[in-house]
Amino acid sequence: MDEKRGAILAELPRLRRYARALVRDRDVADDLVQDCIEKALTRMDGWQSGDNPRRWLFTIMHNLFVDQLRRMKRRGTSVSYEEATGSAMMTEPSQLDNIAAREVLQALQAIAPDRRSALVLVAVEGLTYAEAATVLGIPAGTVMSRIARGREELRKELEDASRRRTIRVVER
């Protein structure tokens, strides 16, 4: 049993990264990881000892995320105080790499959740199409289609962000 728990805990960094890619809020992502781990620990018999638990854990997390999306649709969206008042206490990063990374993350958050999850599982987490299909509970062909469309959506978002940045610089 300790071997299984150790293998599950070793996946925490990947789970956090995947959760942060799925949701925009770091606290909500941490809650999603906690819910995933809690569910995994209560259902240890669903995972075979000796196998890598990554696919199993990502499946649990994906299902929890989908459940959250459904709940949010019923309740509506929530907005933080900073977003509502426009008084966020953030400063712009001084390095171009930080700006580019932020733009990529924002663009990733702007694409459809089903495409984002497929893209993150394959491009960031390194899962094969077949493994991602198992995690998402869809055929591998659908995963490939979502990734292709997600990449195109991401490309368009990044082009728009680049255009907006250029316009902002010219206007000043």
Side-chain angles (χ1 to χ4, degrees):
M1 194 60 102
D2 289 328
E3 175 188 331
K4 284 185 175 183
R5 286 184 182 174
I8 289 172
L9 293 178
E11 294 297 325
L12 276 175
R14 289 181 185 91
L15 289 171
R16 281 192 180 111
R17 189 171 49 228
Y18 182 47
R20 288 183 182 153
L22 292 174
V23 296
R24 295 178 183 166
D25 187 303
R26 178 174 266 168
D27 293 331
V28 175
D30 287 342
D31 289 343
L32 183 60
V33 170
Q34 182 176 347
D35 292 344
C36 176
I37 294 297
E38 180 182 342
K39 187 168 267 193
L41 291 175
T42 60
R43 297 186 176 156
M44 296 277 280
D45 56 338
W47 170 54
Q48 301 297 324
S49 184
D51 289 344
N52 186 337
R54 185 178 310 160
R55 193 172 30 186
W56 178 64
L57 291 168
F58 281 175
T59 302
I60 292 171
M61 181 172 289
H62 175 75
N63 291 336
L64 289 168
F65 173 67
V66 169
D67 290 345
Q68 282 182 357
L69 285 179
R70 288 180 185 143
R71 260 185 258 123
M72 284 192 311
K73 277 186 177 179
R74 285 193 303 258
R75 285 190 211 149
T77 58
S78 61
V79 178
S80 70
Y81 176 76
E82 289 82 16
E83 290 173 326
T85 61
S87 63
M89 305 282 280
M90 295 175 60
T91 59
E92 292 292 321
S94 59
Q95 295 86 6
L96 291 177
D97 289 344
N98 287 344
I99 293 171
R102 190 180 74 218
E103 284 177 356
V104 169
L105 290 174
Q106 286 174 344
L108 189 61
Q109 292 302 321
I111 67 175
D114 58 340
R115 295 175 185 164
R116 180 175 60 235
S117 60
L119 196 56
V120 167
L121 285 173
V122 173
V124 177
E125 296 302 331
L127 269 63
T128 65
Y129 289 145
E131 290 171 332
T134 302
V135 168
L136 299 173
I138 57 176
T142 304
V143 170
M144 290 187 272
S145 173
R146 286 182 182 178
I147 288 172
R149 288 186 180 123
R151 285 179 178 154
E152 185 59 33
E153 237 182 296
L154 190 61
R155 196 174 297 116
K156 286 179 184 175
E157 286 292 329
L158 290 171
E159 286 173 2
D160 289 346
S162 176
R163 245 185 258 117
R164 283 191 303 267
R165 188 174 63 243
T166 303
I167 291 169
R168 202 173 338 145
V169 170
V170 171
E171 288 177 350
R172 286 186 182 176

